[in-house]
Amino acid sequence: MKKILRLLAVTSLLSISMASAAFAGTWKQNDHGWWWQEKDKTYPSSTWEWIDSDGDGIAECYYFDENGYLLTGTTTPDGYTVNESGAWVEQGLVRQRATNPFTAQAVNQKGKTLYEEAGQKTSELPGLDMNTDLWMTFSYEGLELSASEHTHLKYHDLNTPNMEFLLVTTSSMFGLDMTETSFYTGGCYYSDDYGKYKMYIGPQDMMEYLPFKESLGEFGVFLDNLQVAEDEAGNKIILYSAETKNLDRELNNLYGDEMPPLSEFQFSQINGRITINSEGYISNETLSLSMSMTEEGETMGVSMNINQNYNNPGQTISIEFPSTEGYEGVVY
């Protein structure tokens, strides 16, 4: 009996939640345009408003001018784009958010499952062609310093004796430019990091030390407040933002010794976008975050943007290797 009563209570709460979302207000129209009228006859003006017009638990965001009329097909005073229906559009997609915890949980679970399945499928490919761009800006006492890094990775026949890869990294930091190249072919690993050297190493041992084996799907820790959509090309799009509370501790647990102690980091903004193509592979991931870093009583602002492209996932990968001349042999 108690289980039945609890079930009825949950069902009632869900019904009330959905009803409030559906009937909290209504759209009105006259010769001047559309406006949103709340239940108490008031209306929003000179502001954005999240509105769930059809009561499905998913709201779109609209901007209303100083007279309360909906802006459509234009740019808002604060620089955002709204479509012909007045909904906020970003990167070609209508932005949405859940209006109640039940819908939010369902959307988050759907997006996370979609990302995990696509990440697993992409990671199982025997080869990939990836480009990753990283931009960072450091701010301290009115000064700004920039750094960037571009990596191009190609590999094929992973986990087999025929495995080969090529990794080229170009970085620019504080006025210094540097390019590093490493590759594996014919059972030999080549690198020009700190001098040109080569060492013969079997593919099984080489795979234990691959510099890229954990790079796929690493943004999963940030997934929260998800929106799942589909673009005109049939790609699945996952948009997300992360709650910054306790994220420093989560990242520390995830990355361990790979990152400095995160107790002195304070995240302020994290947003991202994941594109999954029609074949179910991840084709692009972007991440933007802002944080501050405090050390010995001094605080520095840090902003970071990452763009990671997977070029034609599922296609055959061919690699053109640099010359192997001039590399000094070392013992593995």
Side-chain angles (χ1 to χ4, degrees):
M1 184 64 179
K2 289 182 179 180
K3 290 183 179 180
I4 295 175
L5 291 175
R6 280 199 294 269
L7 178 60
L8 289 173
V10 170
T11 304
S12 300
L13 287 172
L14 178 59
S15 301
I16 293 170
S17 174
M18 295 300 293
S20 63
F23 302 110
T26 186
W27 288 103
K28 297 285 188 177
Q29 184 186 29
N30 60 20
D31 293 340
H32 296 289
W34 289 88
W35 74 94
W36 178 257
Q37 182 172 288
E38 302 288 357
K39 194 173 182 180
D40 60 2
K41 307 300 183 182
T42 61
Y43 55 87
S45 61
S46 298
T47 189
W48 288 94
E49 191 83 8
W50 286 98
I51 296 174
D52 179 10
S53 302
D54 56 6
D56 65 351
I58 301 293
E60 290 77 31
C61 200
Y62 303 90
Y63 188 87
F64 298 89
D65 68 16
E66 66 276 10
N67 297 313
Y69 287 106
L70 176 70
L71 293 188
T72 61
T74 187
T75 301
T76 62
D78 49 357
Y80 293 91
T81 301
V82 291
N83 64 14
E84 295 301 322
S85 299
W88 169 29
V89 176
E90 190 175 58
Q91 298 179 322
L93 298 175
V94 174
R95 294 307 308 267
Q96 298 176 324
R97 77 174 188 187
T99 60
N100 61 70
F102 303 100
T103 305
Q105 183 178 7
V107 173
N108 274 6
Q109 187 57 54
K110 176 183 177 181
K112 290 179 179 179
T113 299
L114 187 64
Y115 182 59
E116 289 170 0
E117 291 177 347
Q120 181 66 31
K121 183 175 182 178
T122 309
S123 67
E124 290 173 351
L125 287 171
L128 274 177
D129 181 351
M130 301 167 54
N131 285 291
T132 303
D133 290 285
L134 165 68
W135 301 271
M136 297 184 70
T137 301
F138 304 89
S139 305
Y140 177 71
E141 294 187 348
L143 298 176
E144 282 196 354
L145 297 173
S146 298
S148 64
E149 181 180 86
H150 171 78
T151 63
H152 187 195
L153 165 68
K154 299 177 81 171
Y155 64 85
H156 65 74
D157 291 306
L158 197 64
N159 297 316
T160 76
N162 298 318
M163 186 268 290
E164 293 181 316
F165 75 82
L166 170 65
L167 176 63
V168 180
T169 301
T170 304
S171 59
S172 177
M173 183 175 295
F174 313 141
L176 299 176
D177 298 329
M178 183 169 56
T179 299
E180 300 174 6
T181 302
S182 61
F183 55 98
Y184 181 77
T185 182
C188 189
Y189 174 69
Y190 301 83
S191 176
D192 61 9
D193 183 16
Y194 303 108
K196 299 178 73 171
Y197 65 89
K198 64 181 180 180
M199 57 184 174
Y200 290 94
I201 176 174
Q204 287 299 120
D205 290 334
M206 188 70 247
M207 280 184 283
E208 288 295 316
Y209 300 100
L210 290 181
F212 53 84
K213 65 178 181 179
E214 309 236 337
S215 62
L216 190 62
E218 63 183 347
F219 297 158
V221 67
F222 299 112
L223 296 188
D224 200 4
N225 304 309
L226 272 65
Q227 176 188 340
V228 181
E230 185 170 321
D231 66 13
E232 295 179 353
N235 300 307
K236 294 286 192 305
I237 308 295
I238 302 174
L239 300 167
Y240 65 90
S241 61
E243 298 292 343
T244 58
K245 184 179 180 182
N246 297 325
L247 185 59
D248 53 353
R249 187 170 61 238
E250 291 181 23
L251 288 177
N252 192 43
N253 292 334
L254 180 67
Y255 293 106
D257 295 335
E258 297 180 20
M259 300 182 70
L262 290 176
S263 58
E264 298 178 345
F265 282 63
Q266 181 67 47
F267 293 90
S268 57
Q269 181 181 354
I270 299 175
N271 296 288
R273 175 185 173 118
I274 300 162
T275 303
I276 300 171
N277 68 17
S278 58
E279 296 179 337
Y281 297 115
I282 297 175
S283 60
N284 178 263
E285 296 184 83
T286 64
L287 174 69
S288 175
L289 63 85
S290 299
M291 61 185 175
S292 62
M293 179 176 63
T294 302
E295 185 173 353
E296 297 181 355
E298 297 185 345
T299 300
M300 175 185 294
V302 181
S303 63
M304 180 186 300
N305 291 280
I306 302 173
N307 182 55
Q308 190 157 281
N309 268 322
Y310 304 84
N311 304 309
N312 301 312
Q315 301 299 311
T316 301
I317 303 298
S318 62
I319 303 175
E320 184 176 343
F321 291 102
S323 171
T324 58
E325 296 295 325
Y327 285 82
E328 181 181 354
V330 297
V331 178
Y332 167 63

Coordinates of all heavy atoms in Angstrom, one line a residue, residues 233-264:
A233 N 22.2 18.3 -41.9 CA 23.0 17.2 -42.6 C 22.7 15.9 -42.0 O 23.3 14.8 -42.4 CB 24.5 17.5 -42.5
G234 N 21.9 15.8 -40.9 CA 21.5 14.6 -40.3 C 22.5 14.2 -39.2 O 22.4 13.0 -38.7
N235 N 23.4 15.1 -38.8 CA 24.3 14.8 -37.6 C 23.5 15.0 -36.3 O 22.7 16.0 -36.2 CB 25.5 15.7 -37.7 CG 26.3 15.6 -39.0 OD1 26.7 14.5 -39.3 ND2 26.5 16.7 -39.6
K236 N 23.8 14.2 -35.3 CA 23.3 14.4 -34.0 C 24.3 15.4 -33.3 O 25.5 15.3 -33.4 CB 23.3 13.1 -33.2 CG 22.3 12.1 -33.7 CD 20.9 12.5 -33.4 CE 19.9 11.3 -33.6 NZ 19.9 10.8 -35.0
I237 N 23.7 16.4 -32.7 CA 24.4 17.5 -32.0 C 24.1 17.4 -30.5 O 22.9 17.4 -30.1 CB 24.1 18.9 -32.5 CG1 24.2 18.9 -34.1 CG2 25.0 19.9 -31.9 CD1 25.6 18.7 -34.6
I238 N 25.1 17.4 -29.7 CA 25.0 17.5 -28.2 C 25.6 18.8 -27.7 O 26.8 19.0 -27.9 CB 25.7 16.3 -27.5 CG1 25.1 15.0 -28.0 CG2 25.5 16.4 -26.0 CD1 25.8 13.8 -27.4
L239 N 24.8 19.7 -27.2 CA 25.2 20.9 -26.6 C 25.2 20.8 -25.1 O 24.2 20.2 -24.6 CB 24.4 22.1 -27.1 CG 24.3 22.3 -28.6 CD1 23.2 23.3 -28.9 CD2 25.6 22.9 -29.1
Y240 N 26.2 21.3 -24.4 CA 26.2 21.1 -23.0 C 26.9 22.3 -22.3 O 27.7 23.0 -22.9 CB 26.9 19.8 -22.6 CG 28.3 19.7 -22.9 CD1 29.3 20.1 -22.0 CD2 28.8 19.2 -24.2 CE1 30.7 20.1 -22.4 CE2 30.1 19.2 -24.5 CZ 31.1 19.6 -23.6 OH 32.4 19.5 -23.9
S241 N 26.6 22.4 -21.0 CA 27.4 23.3 -20.1 C 27.5 22.5 -18.8 O 26.7 21.7 -18.5 CB 26.6 24.6 -19.9 OG 25.4 24.4 -19.2
A242 N 28.6 22.8 -18.1 CA 28.9 22.1 -16.9 C 28.7 22.9 -15.7 O 29.1 24.1 -15.7 CB 30.3 21.5 -16.9
E243 N 28.2 22.4 -14.6 CA 28.1 23.0 -13.3 C 29.6 23.1 -12.8 O 30.2 22.0 -12.8 CB 27.2 22.3 -12.4 CG 25.8 22.2 -12.8 CD 25.1 23.6 -12.8 OE1 25.6 24.5 -12.1 OE2 24.0 23.8 -13.4
T244 N 30.0 24.2 -12.4 CA 31.4 24.4 -12.0 C 31.6 23.9 -10.5 O 32.8 23.7 -10.1 CB 31.9 25.8 -12.1 OG1 31.0 26.7 -11.3 CG2 31.8 26.3 -13.6
K245 N 30.6 23.8 -9.7 CA 30.8 23.4 -8.3 C 31.3 22.0 -8.2 O 30.8 21.1 -8.8 CB 29.4 23.5 -7.6 CG 29.5 23.2 -6.1 CD 28.1 23.4 -5.4 CE 28.2 23.1 -4.0 NZ 26.9 23.2 -3.3
N246 N 32.4 21.9 -7.5 CA 33.1 20.6 -7.2 C 33.7 20.0 -8.4 O 34.2 18.9 -8.4 CB 32.1 19.6 -6.6 CG 31.6 20.0 -5.3 OD1 32.3 20.7 -4.5 ND2 30.3 19.7 -5.0
L247 N 33.8 20.7 -9.6 CA 34.4 20.2 -10.8 C 35.9 20.0 -10.6 O 36.4 19.1 -11.2 CB 34.1 21.1 -12.0 CG 34.6 20.6 -13.3 CD1 33.9 19.2 -13.7 CD2 34.2 21.5 -14.4
D248 N 36.5 20.9 -9.8 CA 38.0 20.8 -9.6 C 38.3 19.5 -9.0 O 39.2 18.8 -9.4 CB 38.5 22.0 -8.8 CG 37.7 22.2 -7.5 OD1 36.7 21.5 -7.3 OD2 38.2 23.0 -6.7
R249 N 37.5 19.0 -8.0 CA 37.7 17.8 -7.4 C 37.5 16.6 -8.3 O 38.2 15.6 -8.3 CB 36.8 17.6 -6.1 CG 37.1 16.4 -5.3 CD 36.4 16.4 -4.0 NE 35.0 16.4 -4.1 CZ 34.2 17.3 -3.6 NH1 34.7 18.3 -2.9 NH2 32.9 17.3 -3.8
E250 N 36.4 16.7 -9.2 CA 36.2 15.6 -10.1 C 37.3 15.5 -11.1 O 37.7 14.3 -11.5 CB 34.8 15.9 -10.8 CG 33.6 15.8 -9.9 CD 32.3 16.0 -10.7 OE1 32.4 15.9 -11.9 OE2 31.3 16.4 -10.1
L251 N 37.8 16.6 -11.6 CA 38.9 16.5 -12.6 C 40.2 16.0 -11.9 O 40.9 15.2 -12.6 CB 39.2 17.9 -13.2 CG 38.1 18.4 -14.2 CD1 38.4 19.8 -14.6 CD2 38.0 17.5 -15.3
N252 N 40.4 16.3 -10.7 CA 41.6 15.8 -10.0 C 41.5 14.3 -9.8 O 42.5 13.6 -10.0 CB 41.7 16.5 -8.6 CG 43.1 16.2 -8.0 OD1 44.1 16.3 -8.7 ND2 43.1 15.9 -6.7
N253 N 40.3 13.8 -9.5 CA 40.1 12.4 -9.4 C 40.3 11.7 -10.8 O 40.8 10.6 -10.9 CB 38.7 12.0 -8.9 CG 38.6 12.5 -7.4 OD1 39.6 12.6 -6.7 ND2 37.4 12.7 -7.0
L254 N 39.9 12.4 -11.9 CA 39.9 11.8 -13.2 C 41.3 11.7 -13.7 O 41.8 10.7 -14.2 CB 39.0 12.5 -14.1 CG 39.0 12.0 -15.6 CD1 38.3 10.6 -15.6 CD2 38.2 13.0 -16.5
Y255 N 42.0 12.9 -13.6 CA 43.3 13.0 -14.3 C 44.5 12.7 -13.4 O 45.6 12.5 -13.8 CB 43.5 14.4 -14.9 CG 42.5 14.6 -16.1 CD1 41.4 15.4 -15.9 CD2 42.7 13.9 -17.3 CE1 40.5 15.6 -17.0 CE2 41.9 14.1 -18.3 CZ 40.8 14.9 -18.2 OH 39.9 15.1 -19.2
G256 N 44.3 12.8 -12.0 CA 45.4 12.5 -11.1 C 46.6 13.3 -11.3 O 46.6 14.5 -11.3
D257 N 47.7 12.6 -11.4 CA 49.0 13.3 -11.5 C 49.3 14.0 -12.8 O 50.3 14.7 -13.0 CB 50.2 12.2 -11.3 CG 50.1 11.6 -9.9 OD1 49.6 12.3 -9.0 OD2 50.6 10.5 -9.7
E258 N 48.4 13.8 -13.8 CA 48.6 14.5 -15.1 C 48.3 16.0 -15.0 O 48.8 16.8 -15.9 CB 47.6 13.9 -16.1 CG 47.9 12.5 -16.4 CD 47.0 11.9 -17.5 OE1 46.4 12.7 -18.2 OE2 46.8 10.7 -17.5
M259 N 47.7 16.5 -13.9 CA 47.4 17.9 -13.8 C 47.9 18.4 -12.5 O 48.0 17.6 -11.5 CB 45.9 18.2 -13.9 CG 45.3 17.8 -15.2 SD 43.6 18.1 -15.4 CE 43.6 19.9 -15.5
P260 N 48.2 19.7 -12.3 CA 48.7 20.2 -11.0 C 47.5 20.2 -10.0 O 46.4 20.0 -10.4 CB 49.1 21.6 -11.4 CG 48.3 22.0 -12.6 CD 48.2 20.7 -13.4
P261 N 47.8 20.3 -8.8 CA 46.7 20.3 -7.8 C 45.6 21.3 -8.1 O 45.9 22.5 -8.3 CB 47.4 20.7 -6.5 CG 48.9 20.3 -6.7 CD 49.1 20.5 -8.2
L262 N 44.4 20.8 -8.2 CA 43.3 21.7 -8.7 C 42.6 22.4 -7.5 O 41.6 23.1 -7.8 CB 42.3 20.8 -9.4 CG 42.8 20.3 -10.8 CD1 41.8 19.4 -11.4 CD2 43.1 21.5 -11.7
S263 N 43.1 22.3 -6.3 CA 42.4 23.0 -5.2 C 42.6 24.5 -5.4 O 41.8 25.3 -4.8 CB 43.0 22.6 -3.9 OG 44.4 22.8 -3.9
E264 N 43.5 25.0 -6.2 CA 43.7 26.4 -6.4 C 43.1 26.9 -7.7 O 43.3 28.0 -8.1 CB 45.2 26.7 -6.4 CG 45.9 26.3 -5.1 CD 47.4 26.6 -5.1 OE1 48.0 26.8 -6.3 OE2 48.1 26.6 -4.1

